[in-house]
Amino acid sequence: MLLAAVYEGDFRDISYGFRPRRSAHQALHRLKEQCVKMKAGWIVDADVSGFFDNLDHGLLPEILQRRVNDGGVARFIGKLLNAGVLEDCALKHSDKGTPQGGVISPMLSNIFLHHVLDDWFVRQLKRRPKGQAFLIRFAADFIVGCTREDEAHRVMAAPQERSETCRLTIHPEKTKLVRFRKPTLQSESGRGNGTFDFLGLTHYWPRSRRGFWVIKRKTAKKRLRRAMKSLWQWCRLNRHEQLKAQYSLLCSKLRGYYHYYGIRFNYRTLEKMLYHAERSRQFWLRRRCHKDNTMWDKFKRMLDLFPLPRPRIVHDI
């Protein structure tokens, strides 16, 4: 709370992760606005490899000392960083990284990346572009949009050099340069247009019902497969629980899924998730008992009496 009061006024508007009154959906809305407003044709999709595990303990105190010159606060943060992690009944210590799940880890990550990435981009990189550029960051994931291809290549190489200076690594496989612009007749018949994933959603350019090119978002394939697999395992492990309790928890899981992924143009993917939930539920309920065929008739009536919640669009962005 003390660090938030000190740094919240310093943080840039391009940062949306782990901040009060800011969310992932606001970052998605800002990303779409910037792409349309600047007519960004190139996207640098980057990710810091193992950020929470590789946060440098020597560089972080130097960054904190610039704004917080209190020895008691510095010692307290040092104790939190060196407290260690309990794994398999064994306490392990590390000279780098911040414990994932720790209450102070999100704030420390924002402070570190604010100095390493946000300030550096606004003060140095953005001042020398040949075209326009913007940055959107959520925790350790960030997107850079550019209007020109040569500038995009320069921007793509710059964060790698900056991260090496700050003892971090940009993930080589998750970092890529994507051609992302309103398609033309030439691009439709030729090389086509690219897509990219950000905050669990795939961004792409399709045509609207009226024939205009628009930016749409849908659930990323990896996130959808992971959610389906997790729901299948949950239905298998909880098939012997009381039916009403099982039904209530499953409805809560679906509502939570809809609350995040329920954005415009993503309704079909939500329907796929609902269909998978219904099939998973029916499949494992049938395996509760193999002795009495009337048991399944009872379950079928229960399924009709307690239907799962339908998908709905929660965020109009």
Side-chain angles (χ1 to χ4, degrees):
M1 293 173 62
L2 176 62
L3 293 177
V6 173
Y7 279 97
E8 190 59 33
D10 296 342
F11 288 157
R12 303 281 182 175
D13 291 338
I14 58 180
S15 171
Y16 289 88
F18 308 121
R19 294 183 60 187
R21 296 180 296 278
R22 285 176 175 259
S23 65
H25 297 95
Q26 292 178 349
L28 293 169
H29 180 65
R30 179 71 178 275
L31 174 60
K32 182 179 179 180
E33 279 189 336
Q34 293 291 88
C35 287
V36 175
K37 181 180 178 181
M38 293 187 179
K39 297 181 180 180
W42 300 89
I43 296 293
V44 179
D45 183 10
D47 178 55
V48 180
S49 179
F51 172 74
F52 287 97
D53 297 330
N54 297 299
L55 188 65
D56 190 82
H57 287 187
L59 187 59
L60 181 59
E62 297 178 6
I63 297 175
L64 289 170
Q65 193 174 7
R66 300 177 183 180
R67 293 289 282 114
V68 182
N69 193 17
D70 189 322
V73 175
R75 286 192 298 271
F76 184 69
I77 294 175
K79 290 179 180 180
L80 289 172
L81 292 176
N82 298 311
V85 179
L86 190 64
E87 295 181 356
D88 299 329
C89 300
L91 184 62
K92 298 181 180 180
H93 296 274
S94 177
D95 57 350
K96 61 180 181 178
T98 177
Q100 296 194 37
V103 293
I104 201 173
S105 297
M107 175 55 65
L108 294 180
S109 66
N110 269 341
I111 294 173
F112 190 84
L113 289 175
H114 167 73
H115 169 76
V116 172
L117 185 63
D118 300 350
D119 261 1
W120 170 76
F121 178 83
V122 173
R123 294 181 180 178
Q124 298 186 21
L125 195 62
K126 193 177 180 180
R127 290 182 178 181
R128 302 193 303 265
K130 298 179 181 178
Q132 291 183 309
F134 67 88
L135 171 71
I136 303 293
R137 182 178 66 82
F138 191 92
D141 298 334
F142 62 93
I143 293 288
V144 180
C146 301
T147 56
R148 297 179 47 161
E149 184 177 3
D150 55 347
E151 182 65 19
H153 284 285
R154 188 179 73 86
V155 169
M156 188 174 181
Q160 181 68 36
E161 299 175 358
R162 175 65 174 172
S163 62
E164 291 177 356
T165 304
C166 300
R167 301 160 196 173
L168 293 175
T169 304
I170 300 295
H171 201 291
E173 297 180 358
K174 295 183 179 180
T175 302
K176 59 181 180 179
L177 179 62
V178 180
R179 181 180 181 273
F180 190 76
R181 65 177 60 186
K182 184 185 298 185
T184 60
L185 295 177
Q186 181 179 0
S187 65
E188 289 175 4
S189 59
R191 55 194 271 191
N193 207 29
T195 65
F196 66 94
D197 295 342
F198 184 60
L199 298 180
L201 296 165
T202 300
H203 299 66
Y204 61 103
W205 277 98
R207 285 189 182 273
S208 65
R209 292 183 178 181
R210 296 183 179 181
F212 300 103
W213 290 107
V214 294
I215 298 177
K216 293 185 179 181
R217 279 71 62 90
K218 62 181 179 180
T219 308
K221 293 182 179 179
K222 291 183 179 179
R223 293 292 185 93
L224 183 61
R225 287 196 299 266
R226 187 172 66 183
M228 288 182 173
K229 182 179 179 181
S230 176
L231 189 63
W232 179 271
Q233 294 294 336
W234 185 89
C235 291
R236 180 178 69 87
L237 297 175
N238 294 272
R239 64 184 183 273
H240 294 297
E241 300 293 334
Q242 293 184 0
L243 296 181
K244 290 185 178 180
Q246 184 184 141
Y247 170 75
S248 177
L249 289 174
L250 186 57
C251 289
S252 298
K253 288 181 175 293
L254 285 177
R255 292 192 189 100
Y257 186 86
Y258 300 156
H259 187 73
Y260 184 83
Y261 293 102
I263 65 174
R264 292 181 64 187
F265 310 119
N266 197 32
Y267 190 83
R268 291 185 178 179
T269 310
L270 300 182
E271 286 184 325
K272 291 181 181 179
M273 189 65 183
L274 175 62
Y275 177 77
H276 178 76
E278 291 175 345
R279 295 295 299 170
S280 302
R281 187 183 179 205
Q282 293 178 4
F283 181 88
W284 290 111
L285 283 179
R286 292 184 62 180
R287 278 149 181 78
R288 284 182 58 156
C289 181
H290 299 278
K291 298 180 181 179
D292 189 359
N293 292 331
T294 61
M295 186 66 72
W296 173 240
D297 296 334
K298 179 180 178 181
F299 290 151
K300 194 172 182 179
R301 290 194 300 269
M302 185 272 300
L303 294 175
D304 297 334
L305 186 61
F306 299 103
L308 295 177
R310 300 291 304 175
R312 66 189 187 95
I313 301 300
V314 181
H315 306 280
D316 187 16
I317 58 174

